[in-house]
Amino acid sequence: MPDGSTPGQDTKRPRGGRSQRRESRLQGAQGTRRPYIVRNVPTYDLLSEDSLVRIEATADRILAEIGMELREDAEAMRLYRQAGAQVTELTAGVWNLKFEPGLLREVLRTAPAEFTQHARNPANSVRIGGRNVVFAPSYGSPFVMDLDRGRRYGTIEDFRNFVKLSQSSPWLHHSGGTVCEPTDVAVNKRHLDMVYAHIRYSDRAFLGSITAADRASDSVEMCRILFGSDFVDRNCVIMGNFNTTSPLVLDGVTAAGIRAYAGANQGSIHLPFLLGGAVSPLTMAGSVAQGLAESMVSCALSQLVRPGAPAVLASFFSSMSLRSGSPTFGTPEPALGSLVMGQLARRLNLPLRCAGNFCTSKLPDGQAMQQSMMSMMSAIQGGANYVLHSAGFLDGLLSMSYEKLVMDTDMCGALHAYLDGMEVNDDTLGFDALAELGPGQHLFGTAHTLRHYETAYWDSALNDDQPFETWSEQGGLDYAQRANARWKKLLAEYEAPPIDEGINEGLLDFMARRKDAVPDMWY
């Protein structure tokens, strides 16, 4: 079981001069040697009390009058019925669940408002909930993309590369989950390789598989090998990201996966993916009410299995091009929805996952970053605690981009400084900076400037802030081209965090036995 001397601690020799000063800056107020952010800026409360009450009442009405459909999980049905749900069997293995107003809120009282997800390097464990903010890379893309090879299906090599790049970033806190689909590994076995990649190539917390109940159980079992069974039973070390099937359906695979994670005392994220006009009302207030209803039903299942198991309320709002029917990302209306979900999560006293660096651009260009900033700022201002899709999201989530990953992580660095807020004291007010030389004199050499010049401002790894002539003489590279060079440099310099050899052998043996037990399935 990992302890303070866990493999994964930095074993590099200390450096001197400029490199040492830069390292010191990363460890300071703006750095992520902090394993997560503790926000020092307030959330933005968009709606009035009256409007919030109306949304909550509509969510209650949806659940009481229309209900939620549960498919192919008799145990989940039994748990809901035992808790007080009105259960009607529609066909064999399909039930309609209706909930009286207030029932689910009572069930959710046992869910923790904050919890720790432990990493194999204890210094990288994250705190989820409250004022804490955790950034994780994007999730679920079947394709990958870079400027050299274009768009193609993801492979296990791409998956490992993205884990390595995320581990290399000083601005991400979490390794994520299915950062891309490794389509060169059998569907029923790739979860083993993905979880192993997170364990082997990162020492941060991560998400496990959710695509089948046995894959969820395998993910938890690999964590038992890594951390020890007793530790896993007492602590959250892995989470699953679960989607309802909107509108208003909880399928058996999802329900069984939630039960597997909650039964092992592990975390679960409960996410309706709402495409306005297709699977939710076109108007954002209606989408928010539906999203709240679906997420509450899903979250409640975790508490019915094991009261106190970590659960995260979540939302994923998307607008739609009414001309083509295609999802659109990074638009203002879903951003407003994320702000409201923050208010609703705080009223439920639950951690929140929402928004991220969403975009529909097909290239890592100006559209990509404009849309991403609109979406990401809604998570920041709304009070999201766990921000999946913080880096790499391109092409409406169909593609995971090497260039966009490092572009987005650079933005995440700026958001660290933003969320730190502004400290006001005698030193930061800077009176002595003006008084030292008086009117008409520049401040470059003052004691105040020299004291703060290395830590006063966030320092981008990608921006080019030089004069036009200098930029032109150095090749006139645009942002995406600089990002292309950046991810290649990070991969070339990457060093895997050490891992106990006995644990590694145990993981490999478990994977081999599980793979040998069943034939490959490719769809």
Side-chain angles (χ1 to χ4, degrees):
M1 183 179 72
D3 55 25
S5 58
T6 296
Q9 304 286 341
D10 189 0
T11 57
K12 296 179 183 178
R13 289 179 293 178
R15 295 170 291 181
R18 184 175 181 181
S19 295
Q20 189 176 49
R21 290 195 299 273
R22 182 173 179 82
E23 184 74 10
S24 176
R25 292 178 66 185
L26 289 176
Q27 293 179 18
Q30 297 179 25
T32 57
R33 298 298 184 254
R34 303 176 291 179
Y36 52 89
I37 302 168
V38 179
R39 65 183 304 128
N40 286 316
V41 299
T43 56
Y44 182 74
D45 292 341
L46 178 68
L47 293 187
S48 67
E49 173 71 13
D50 178 66
S51 293
L52 293 171
V53 168
R54 293 188 69 179
I55 287 175
E56 290 172 334
T58 301
D60 286 344
R61 187 181 177 197
I62 290 169
L63 295 174
E65 297 182 21
I66 303 172
M68 191 91 169
E69 188 173 293
L70 172 66
R71 299 175 181 172
E72 304 296 335
D73 192 332
E75 175 60 15
M77 181 275 293
R78 185 191 68 80
L79 290 168
Y80 282 120
R81 172 180 279 162
Q82 186 178 52
Q86 178 185 327
V87 178
T88 303
E89 186 168 20
L90 304 176
T91 60
V94 180
W95 304 272
N96 178 267
L97 311 176
K98 291 181 179 176
F99 303 89
E100 289 298 317
L103 173 60
L104 292 178
R105 287 180 177 80
E106 190 61 34
V107 171
L108 290 171
R109 288 183 186 277
T110 60
E114 293 187 36
F115 64 92
T116 297
Q117 185 186 358
H118 293 266
R120 74 175 177 95
N121 177 0
N124 288 333
S125 296
V126 294
R127 188 76 177 159
I128 297 175
R131 292 168 51 214
N132 309 306
V133 184
V134 174
F135 291 153
S138 195
Y139 181 108
S141 300
F143 300 102
V144 300
M145 185 185 295
D146 64 63
L147 294 185
D148 304 297
R149 291 175 289 172
R151 188 179 191 250
R152 60 194 186 280
Y153 281 107
T155 65
I156 192 62
E157 180 185 7
D158 290 309
F159 189 98
R160 292 167 184 151
N161 283 344
F162 286 125
V163 172
K164 293 173 183 178
L165 288 170
S166 297
Q167 170 75 6
S168 299
S169 172
W171 308 122
L172 294 178
H173 316 109
H174 197 278
S175 196
T178 306
V179 287
C180 71
E181 282 288 348
T183 59
D184 56 339
V185 182
V187 171
N188 60 332
K189 299 178 181 181
R190 65 181 60 158
H191 66 286
L192 299 165
D193 296 272
M194 291 190 286
V195 171
Y196 179 74
H198 284 298
I199 293 172
R200 182 64 190 90
Y201 301 112
S202 174
D203 60 4
R204 293 173 175 169
F206 57 92
L207 303 177
S209 178
I210 49 86
T211 52
D214 62 335
R215 298 170 200 171
S217 296
D218 283 347
S219 301
V220 174
E221 189 59 35
M222 291 177 76
C223 287
R224 293 190 176 110
I225 296 170
L226 177 62
F227 289 94
S229 295
D230 290 343
F231 189 87
V232 171
D233 188 58
R234 298 191 308 270
N235 299 278
C236 177
V237 300
I238 191 171
M239 296 195 297
N241 184 66
F242 293 98
N243 288 94
T244 53
T245 305
S246 302
L248 302 174
V249 174
L250 183 61
D251 68 72
V253 170
T254 299
I258 293 168
R259 291 194 294 105
Y261 276 85
N265 197 31
Q266 300 309 300
S268 50
I269 302 166
H270 302 267
L271 185 75
F273 180 4
L274 300 184
L275 175 58
V279 299
S280 70
L282 193 62
T283 47
M284 191 49 59
S287 284
V288 171
Q290 178 186 331
L292 176 63
E294 291 190 21
S295 190
M296 285 173 62
V297 172
S298 185
C299 281
L301 180 56
S302 70
Q303 301 310 295
L304 297 177
V305 172
R306 184 162 174 167
V312 179
L313 192 79
S315 67
F316 192 122
F317 299 124
S318 174
S319 51
M320 182 174 69
S321 170
L322 298 180
R323 296 181 183 87
S324 66
S326 298
T328 51
F329 293 100
T331 52
E333 294 83 5
L336 295 173
S338 293
L339 295 179
V340 177
M341 282 302 298
Q343 292 180 269
L344 295 168
R346 288 188 288 279
R347 290 162 72 88
L348 283 170
N349 204 27
L350 289 174
L352 174 68
R353 182 213 142 179
C354 71
N357 273 313
F358 297 170
C359 70
T360 50
S361 180
K362 311 309 177 287
L363 293 171
D365 56 10
Q367 177 186 332
M369 299 313 290
Q370 177 192 42
Q371 291 177 327
S372 292
M373 196 65 177
M374 170 68 77
S375 178
M376 189 66 164
M377 284 305 292
S378 71
I380 297 304
Q381 301 286 36
N385 303 113
Y386 181 77
V387 188
L388 197 59
H389 303 304
S390 291
F393 188 117
L394 199 65
D395 187 23
L397 190 53
L398 291 175
S399 299
M400 182 73 171
S401 164
Y402 281 81
E403 286 80 20
K404 187 150 186 294
L405 184 138
V406 294
M407 293 160 72
D408 286 339
T409 54
D410 204 56
M411 183 199 296
C412 288
L415 292 173
H416 277 70
Y418 181 84
L419 283 165
D420 277 339
M422 181 186 294
E423 186 177 8
V424 179
N425 57 40
D426 288 347
D427 182 46
T428 62
L429 285 168
F431 179 87
D432 57 324
L434 294 168
E436 182 173 333
L437 298 176
Q441 304 298 312
H442 70 70
L443 276 63
F444 292 131
T446 64
H448 185 273
T449 298
L450 294 174
R451 202 162 57 242
H452 290 282
Y453 83 97
E454 287 191 315
T455 58
Y457 303 135
W458 164 72
D459 188 13
S460 170
L462 279 179
N463 287 352
D464 188 304
D465 300 314
Q466 303 175 100
F468 181 92
E469 292 77 12
T470 306
W471 167 79
S472 180
E473 289 169 1
Q474 293 178 352
L477 300 180
D478 65 22
Y479 196 44
Q481 290 171 317
R482 296 195 298 274
N484 179 267
R486 175 74 176 164
W487 70 257
K488 292 174 181 176
K489 181 176 185 292
L490 289 172
L491 279 184
E493 295 176 349
Y494 166 83
E495 295 181 14
I499 189 170
D500 179 88
E501 191 53 41
I503 289 174
N504 192 49
E505 290 176 1
L507 290 166
L508 293 173
D509 177 67
F510 175 81
M511 293 166 61
R513 286 187 285 109
R514 292 293 290 133
K515 288 184 177 183
D516 289 343
V518 291
D520 288 353
M521 294 173 57
W522 290 98
Y523 53 87

